[in-house]
Amino acid sequence: MDRMEEYRALQRELEQTPAALEGTLQRARARQRRERRGWRAFGASFGGVAAVFALFVVLVNVSGPFAAACESIPILKDLAAAVSFSHSLSSAVDHGYVQTIGQSQSDNGVTVDLEYMMLDGGQIVFFGRVDAPEDVTSCMVVADLPADDGGKIQGCGLTSQSIKPGELTTLFTIAVDPEVFVFPEVLHLACKVELRRDGGNLAPTHTNADSPEELPPDAEVSFDVPVDRALLGQSRSVPVDRWIELEGNRFYISSLELYPTSARFTLEADESNPDTLQTLSYYVEDEHGNRYESGSASGVFAMGDTYWFESPYFQEPEHLTLHITGTVWMEKGRERVSIDLETGEALGPLPVGVRPFVDTSAGTEVGLTAPLGAGSTENHSIHYQVMGHHYYAPDGTEFEINGISTVSGNPHMGPVDEAQEAHYKGTFTQTIFLRNWEWDTVELELYYSRRADYVQSLSFELT
């Protein structure tokens, strides 16, 4: 029996009501039919099981008999503990929108159990657990999606997070560009497992510019996951067709794309805009005051000009309003600034509150110092992006920034200098090292020219 047949068999089993649920579930089903009469139906792949899933999240919290009965339905028991971290995923699981995988692979004393998957046209979220040696305190499953020809599949981005061994959680997610990404019949996943034994959080692997080789992973496993094509057809487009104006810049929103586990809209910039929108802080609200926060379970807030938010797919609100709470802009023509490495001065305009930093005491270190983000405290510093992704030599040669150092407060090494400490109080500094630099200036790419936070959000009705 292949995985898809097992999945269908499990669905058929779930259609049989456990004895402990007799009466309780029938009444809930009747109530559900009354409340949801006229709502959009799922495809035939879910059948009667949708009604079972539609109520289990609420019932496990209010019904002792139902919670006890969940002990006899393994999928309900596991998912009941994993639906709370995302509104979109909670709603999706609440409506039975999940595919069981049930695969396990081991390598070098590490076992990865890939339990469940949620997918639609916008993202794929994988749930599972990692069993590792007892001294491992945290781990990360870094997945790749190789193509059959040996290359990489286009139109998607994979993200991972640090997790605790033994816990059912989100292992990794795949953000999808539906205009580019083509779902295969089977997802081939190549996974590297990184372990941490000191209790600290895992951070992205940093490579030395002179030695780019990465450390080998602690374990490597792979999975072949069949895709339930019926899940991919669940989406709808809500027309918007309106222009909005932000700080003298105009943007067009054609529609909202709503998927069961994510939602998004695209801001098409007017070509005459004086600025490029770099970052948008926002949320979406319905007529009942329910907020759908920015971002998605895949960790993506924006992909190009497309912005993601938690999905109201299952709530089906009549009216949605976009609330913008902050913006970050790059004025066209101010994307770079030259820094004099001898005087430490900027040879062009910098964003308000930003100043250059140069330190030649141990090689050539150059960067920018900026005020800490709003909400920073003595024990918690909020940083944001100041520099872009490249720097340039005076002859125009482009270099990619492979690693940035970020330091709160005084960035200078050595003995404490009270004057320097006061000078850098309330700031952070982002720097790069210039190796074998032959020039007395460098041109840095800037990420923004100005930032704006709105005490009162800017509101735009979308539907």
Side-chain angles (χ1 to χ4, degrees):
M1 179 181 294
D2 62 27
R3 288 297 176 191
M4 292 307 298
E5 290 175 342
E6 292 177 2
Y7 176 52
R8 301 303 183 194
L10 178 60
Q11 286 184 319
R12 289 192 294 271
E13 291 175 6
L14 289 176
E15 290 178 4
Q16 303 302 316
T17 307
L21 297 183
E22 291 295 342
T24 299
L25 196 53
Q26 277 73 16
R27 290 190 298 272
R29 278 175 165 165
R31 185 169 60 252
Q32 176 72 356
R33 284 193 295 270
R34 291 194 301 271
E35 293 174 350
R36 292 187 53 82
R37 183 175 293 116
W39 278 35
R40 182 187 301 266
F42 281 108
S45 63
F46 291 103
V49 71
V52 180
F53 277 85
L55 294 170
F56 93 89
V57 173
V58 174
L59 289 177
V60 295
N61 290 322
V62 301
S63 171
F66 186 90
C70 283
E71 297 294 326
S72 63
I73 309 177
I75 187 172
L76 294 187
K77 178 182 177 182
D78 287 343
L79 288 178
V83 296
S84 62
F85 69 95
S86 164
H87 162 79
S88 291
L89 296 188
S90 295
S91 294
V93 172
D94 195 12
H95 291 79
Y97 201 88
V98 61
Q99 178 177 332
T100 299
I101 300 175
Q103 296 186 27
S104 180
Q105 298 289 338
S106 299
D107 179 50
N108 198 26
V110 176
T111 298
V112 179
D113 296 324
L114 202 58
E115 302 282 5
Y116 312 115
M117 173 175 70
M118 292 186 200
L119 82 161
D120 52 34
Q123 67 178 0
I124 315 172
V125 187
F126 294 89
F127 298 91
R129 55 172 55 85
V130 176
D131 290 326
E134 292 184 359
D135 60 339
V136 173
T137 54
S138 61
C139 57
M140 182 182 293
V141 180
V142 181
D144 193 13
L145 199 62
D148 292 335
D149 59 4
K152 290 189 175 181
I153 294 180
Q154 301 299 311
C156 64
L158 290 85
T159 59
S160 302
Q161 63 181 359
S162 179
I163 62 175
K164 292 183 178 180
E167 292 186 0
L168 178 68
T169 186
T170 306
L171 292 183
F172 52 90
T173 60
I174 303 177
V176 171
D177 181 350
E179 296 183 359
V180 179
F181 185 80
V182 178
F183 279 91
E185 294 295 327
V186 177
L187 291 168
H188 303 292
L189 301 169
C191 303
K192 298 179 180 180
V193 184
E194 302 173 3
L195 306 180
R196 176 62 62 85
R197 289 178 163 81
D198 61 4
N201 290 325
L202 283 164
T205 300
H206 295 287
T207 59
N208 188 301
D210 299 325
S211 179
E213 295 81 9
E214 295 184 4
L215 294 175
D218 295 285
E220 294 185 81
V221 295
S222 61
F223 300 92
D224 291 332
V225 181
V227 173
D228 186 350
R229 311 297 296 186
L231 300 181
L232 299 180
Q234 309 298 328
S235 65
R236 61 178 177 269
S237 180
V238 179
V240 176
D241 188 26
R242 69 162 297 178
W243 287 89
I244 66 173
E245 183 169 330
L246 298 172
E247 302 214 1
N249 297 275
R250 298 178 72 243
F251 298 89
Y252 177 71
I253 304 177
S254 62
S255 62
L256 302 178
E257 305 304 321
L258 305 184
Y259 300 93
T261 71
S262 64
R264 63 187 70 183
F265 60 89
T266 299
L267 291 180
E268 300 178 30
D270 189 317
E271 292 183 357
S272 64
N273 284 349
D275 305 297
T276 299
L277 179 62
Q278 298 287 72
T279 304
L280 187 73
S281 300
Y282 60 96
Y283 64 92
V284 176
E285 187 176 43
D286 66 20
E287 70 270 22
H288 303 296
N290 298 314
R291 283 177 54 148
Y292 305 93
E293 301 293 345
S294 59
S296 72
S298 60
V300 173
F301 285 85
M303 184 180 288
D305 297 328
T306 300
Y307 296 85
W308 298 46
F309 60 99
E310 293 275 12
S311 179
Y313 180 87
F314 293 106
Q315 285 69 36
E316 295 196 348
E318 293 185 5
H319 302 289
L320 290 171
T321 302
L322 173 64
H323 296 273
I324 296 176
T325 59
T327 51
V328 176
W329 303 93
M330 170 54 68
E331 181 182 338
K332 294 177 181 178
R334 287 185 53 185
E335 291 85 358
R336 305 182 192 176
V337 64
S338 292
I339 305 296
D340 189 317
L341 300 176
E342 295 183 353
T343 65
E345 296 179 350
L347 304 180
L350 287 171
V352 174
V354 175
R355 56 180 185 261
F357 172 84
V358 176
D359 188 346
T360 58
S361 61
T364 302
E365 188 178 13
V366 62
L368 299 171
T369 299
L372 289 171
S376 295
T377 65
E378 184 177 351
N379 299 317
H380 178 63
S381 299
I382 297 178
H383 304 150
Y384 47 87
Q385 187 172 354
V386 182
M387 291 193 294
H389 302 289
H390 303 88
Y391 61 98
Y392 304 83
D395 63 4
T397 304
E398 178 184 283
F399 300 87
E400 185 174 357
I401 297 177
N402 295 316
I404 292 181
S405 173
T406 302
V407 178
S408 296
N410 185 5
H412 291 278
M413 304 296 290
V416 175
D417 184 315
E418 292 185 1
Q420 282 185 351
E421 295 290 317
H423 182 67
Y424 288 99
K425 185 176 181 180
T427 69
F428 70 99
T429 302
Q430 293 181 343
T431 63
I432 59 173
F433 275 100
L434 304 178
R435 291 179 171 82
N436 304 317
W437 198 254
E438 302 174 357
W439 302 274
D440 57 9
T441 63
V442 62
E443 193 174 33
L444 299 179
E445 189 175 77
L446 298 173
Y447 180 70
Y448 74 93
S449 56
R450 74 179 188 278
R451 300 166 55 87
D453 295 313
Y454 308 125
V455 176
Q456 183 71 33
S457 67
L458 306 180
S459 301
F460 304 93
E461 290 187 5
L462 301 179
T463 63

